[in-house]
Amino acid sequence: MVSAPRLAAWFTRHWAVTVVLALTPGWTVGVCTRDLWKPDEPREAAIAARMAREGADWAVPHLGTEAFCEKPPLTYWVAAASARLLGGGVVPLRLPNLAYGLLGALLVATLARTSRGPVAGLAAGFLFGTTYLAFRVGVWLATDAPLMLAVAGALLGCLRGLEARRTVPKLAWYAVMHLFLAFGFLTKNVLAFVVPGLAWLTVVVWERRWRELLAWELLAPALIEVGMVVPWLTAVAGEADGAAYLTVFFRNNIVGRFTPIEGVGYTESHPGWPGKYLVELPVYLFPWMLLMVAAAVAAWRRCRAGAAATDAPDDGSPTPWRFAVGAVVPPLLLLSAAASMRDVYAGTLMPGCALLGGLWAAQALGRPTRLDLVMTKATTWLLLLLCIVLPPFVLTAGPHFGAAIPHLATTAILVAALGGTLLAMAVWRQAKQGRIAASLAGAALITALSVPALAPVVVPLVNRAQNLRPVALMARDGAGGRPLALWQPDETIIAVMDFELGLTPPSLRTEEAVAASLTEHPELALLAKLDARPGRARESWAVWRRLGLEVLARTDLPEPGGRKYVLLGRPVGSVPPERPPDFLRPHVHSR
């Protein structure tokens, strides 16, 4: 029988295999077991699916029939290629995310491994794949997932390039950096440069490496970016509205996120405040936020001490610590200065956080401080609490929202909860005895198994409210061949109609526009979302009543977070009602 130390040594020695084995089940569940979830996924899927059609415009993404120039097209190219290869549907479009996530984890692990050995690599790769924000961003069909991969790869090339002393390795690693920067630029514009650039500049300034600013090994590989980006820019500029498209791609989407621009609503759609990202950082790093406190303190001490204060040969250079700090702190401050803030924008910080955690793990396993032990114990207590509280909460939420939970799924969660509780108790005992390696390994095992264990209940429950396909089917079936239009639609419903039905109905945003359309097409059907804000639904009904519209069909997506949609039209010989109809009253719809 293989002993625990020998098994642990095998997993550490084969750190890349261990990272893939640990992360694949959870990431596969997140990528492959659900429909499109609002707000972003329907839009991204519709753009990619349209790009996968024959004769599509590959230079400029399109949402419906309109150019969508918020992001460059690389994410849509990859998703469209996957759809062409594997067929239609949601999973082929989202399947590249599995590669983004696993490859990103391996790149971060390689970065930590080359800095502090296999323990650091294993810890960094696992942390990258299991923190809440990295997982959420990674399994989401959007440009943020490949951007996070691009940042991880650029950080690897950047640090190795900084540390290289000979010409050929330095040139090669900086070429890797520029390759991933070009990948990131084609994914989400210059945002890809922020984290690697600030991390590199932090080390240069901190260690006074001024010659690095003009190193030809750094500058020459920039031709890689030119060769990858310029052909796309040329293709966009060559289109009829190319100049306008480029203005949106760069001016609106860069400047418009930091300061208001007339006609650009980024600063209004996701408003924030200066301390938002810092306050939310513990949530982003869940469930490892307490360990990251210990990592931050270790980084502070290590960076201040410098190489001269090392008391053991395995401490090595402080450069990786400074680089990790530079990949987190300056970008966090810069993101906090933006007027438009969403948690997914902080996904670019996760590779740096994971590197910091990997460096800490390698140091803590050798010489743990009192703070390291305290935070490890606290983390095991947190996992134990979650194992006890979370499964009953999930099983109670289903019936509360009117969702039936299969008996097999219930049994699986209860068994997983019992096993997780026993394992968490054993892990806590290890932590109490100061065995930090065993306690961290047990905590990692609990975390790796949690997503597959909870998914059979959580994913279907959330899917009922997030999946908007029933709305598209209601519109198609309820219209019964009538011409269809959308009342004041957002991007999500436009995308759902395009993705599910291949339709791009006209968008009508004023009463006058609807009246004109009804004059031309009296049989027009109008799809509308009921606004949940007080009084807004009745205001909308006042408009529809004046136009003589009544409800032809209705779909109420269930809680939590379900939206309500109605299909309106003028029945032959109908008289407009004098009061709001029953559809304004509470109603529960279950699938």
Side-chain angles (χ1 to χ4, degrees):
M1 186 174 182
V2 181
S3 64
R6 291 184 62 186
L7 188 63
W10 188 93
F11 282 125
T12 302
R13 187 167 60 253
H14 299 87
W15 53 272
V17 175
T18 305
V19 167
V20 172
L21 290 177
L23 300 184
T24 297
W27 281 66
T28 301
V29 167
V31 168
C32 300
T33 63
R34 58 189 180 83
D35 293 300
L36 298 172
W37 287 1
K38 60 179 189 285
D40 297 331
E41 286 198 309
R43 180 192 65 206
E44 305 296 274
I47 294 172
R50 181 169 285 270
M51 193 170 281
R53 300 173 188 172
E54 293 294 334
D57 185 348
W58 281 69
V60 179
H62 280 70
L63 176 59
T65 57
E66 299 294 326
F68 183 82
C69 300
E70 283 195 9
K71 292 113 179 173
L74 182 59
T75 305
Y76 310 121
W77 290 346
V78 177
S82 177
R84 284 192 172 187
L85 180 65
L86 302 175
V90 175
V91 173
L93 291 172
R94 201 192 284 125
L95 198 58
N97 283 55
L98 188 58
Y100 298 148
L102 294 178
L103 182 56
L106 289 175
L107 288 171
V108 173
T110 302
L111 176 57
R113 163 70 178 81
T114 57
S115 298
R116 285 296 183 274
V119 170
L122 179 58
F126 186 83
L127 285 171
F128 176 82
T130 55
T131 52
Y132 161 74
L133 185 59
F135 178 79
R136 182 192 164 195
V137 169
V139 301
W140 206 257
L141 179 57
T143 55
D144 301 282
L147 175 64
M148 202 162 56
L149 165 64
V151 169
L155 287 175
L156 172 61
C158 184
L159 180 58
R160 294 303 307 275
L162 278 168
E163 293 181 323
R165 294 289 179 258
R166 291 178 297 164
T167 297
V168 173
K170 195 176 196 69
L171 179 66
W173 282 114
Y174 274 140
V176 170
M177 180 192 74
H178 284 289
L179 176 65
F180 278 102
L181 288 178
F183 180 90
F185 182 90
L186 290 172
T187 297
K188 205 167 183 180
N189 219 314
V190 297
L191 186 60
F193 298 169
V194 171
V195 172
L198 290 175
W200 179 85
L201 189 60
T202 297
V203 173
V204 168
V205 173
W206 204 326
E207 300 183 354
R208 297 179 177 84
R209 300 191 188 186
W210 309 120
R211 292 184 179 180
E212 204 76 27
L213 294 170
L214 298 177
W216 73 269
E217 297 94 339
L218 169 70
L219 302 176
L223 292 174
I224 295 174
E225 295 180 52
V226 174
M228 292 178 64
V229 173
V230 168
W232 169 65
L233 294 177
T234 302
V236 174
E239 300 208 357
D241 295 319
Y245 295 157
L246 291 174
T247 299
V248 177
F249 274 125
F250 298 108
R251 174 180 172 269
N252 294 3
N253 282 285
I254 299 174
V255 180
R257 296 187 184 276
F258 286 86
T259 185
I261 297 178
E262 186 177 355
V264 179
Y266 295 129
T267 58
E268 300 172 1
S269 57
H270 303 291
W273 39 280
K276 173 181 169 64
Y277 287 121
L278 183 61
V279 170
E280 293 181 354
L281 191 59
V283 178
Y284 303 160
L285 298 173
F286 180 86
W288 309 115
M289 59 280 195
L290 298 175
L291 296 183
M292 294 306 298
V293 171
V297 173
W300 170 259
R301 293 172 176 170
R302 190 68 188 85
C303 290
R304 288 186 63 195
T310 57
D311 53 11
D314 62 348
D315 275 349
S317 165
T319 298
W321 289 94
R322 292 168 178 168
F323 186 79
V325 170
V328 176
V329 178
L332 179 63
L333 296 176
L334 182 62
L335 288 175
S336 298
S340 177
M341 297 185 185
R342 290 182 67 188
D343 55 353
V344 293
Y345 299 162
T348 54
L349 303 178
M350 294 301 103
C353 290
L355 172 61
L356 190 62
L359 297 176
W360 166 82
Q363 176 176 290
L365 264 60
R367 297 187 312 281
T369 65
R370 179 177 179 80
L371 179 64
D372 296 338
L373 293 172
V374 169
M375 289 304 174
T376 301
K377 291 179 185 178
T379 299
T380 60
W381 268 110
L382 174 63
L383 293 176
L384 176 60
L385 181 64
L386 291 175
C387 289
I388 295 173
V389 172
L390 195 57
F393 174 80
V394 170
L395 293 175
T396 304
H400 175 76
F401 293 115
I405 300 178
H407 295 300
L408 183 60
T410 302
T411 303
I413 282 188
L414 292 176
V415 171
L418 178 60
T421 300
L422 295 176
L423 180 58
M425 294 175 65
V427 169
W428 180 81
R429 286 194 294 269
Q430 296 292 327
K432 187 177 180 181
Q433 296 171 10
R435 298 174 181 172
I436 193 169
S439 57
L440 290 177
L445 181 60
I446 294 172
T447 306
L449 296 177
S450 61
V451 173
L454 294 174
V457 173
V458 175
V459 170
L461 175 62
V462 179
N463 208 60
R464 296 164 68 243
Q466 293 288 323
N467 179 25
L468 296 179
R469 187 168 187 266
V471 178
L473 297 180
M474 179 268 288
R476 181 195 64 187
D477 298 339
R482 299 179 182 219
L484 183 65
L486 307 178
W487 169 255
Q488 298 181 349
D490 54 20
E491 291 177 348
T492 303
I493 197 62
I494 294 173
V496 168
M497 297 298 292
D498 188 27
F499 182 75
E500 299 290 351
L501 305 179
L503 299 176
T504 308
S507 299
L508 306 178
R509 301 189 178 277
T510 65
E511 182 176 350
E512 292 74 16
V514 177
S517 297
L518 286 169
T519 300
E520 185 176 356
H521 301 287
E523 70 279 19
L524 179 74
L526 190 67
L527 178 63
K529 181 181 73 174
L530 289 179
D531 199 313
R533 289 172 290 184
R536 292 300 297 271
R538 292 186 178 275
E539 291 177 11
S540 297
W541 172 248
V543 173
W544 302 333
R545 181 175 58 184
R546 288 194 296 269
L547 295 168
L549 301 176
E550 68 175 40
V551 178
L552 303 178
R554 171 187 175 169
T555 294
D556 285 15
L557 299 177
E559 295 295 333
R563 297 173 177 175
K564 300 173 175 58
Y565 291 85
V566 291
L567 188 68
L568 304 158
R570 283 179 174 175
V572 177
S574 66
V575 177
E578 296 299 327
R579 62 183 180 84
D582 291 340
F583 81 85
L584 290 175
R585 300 173 186 172
H587 176 71
V588 177
H589 169 80
S590 60
R591 289 178 63 201

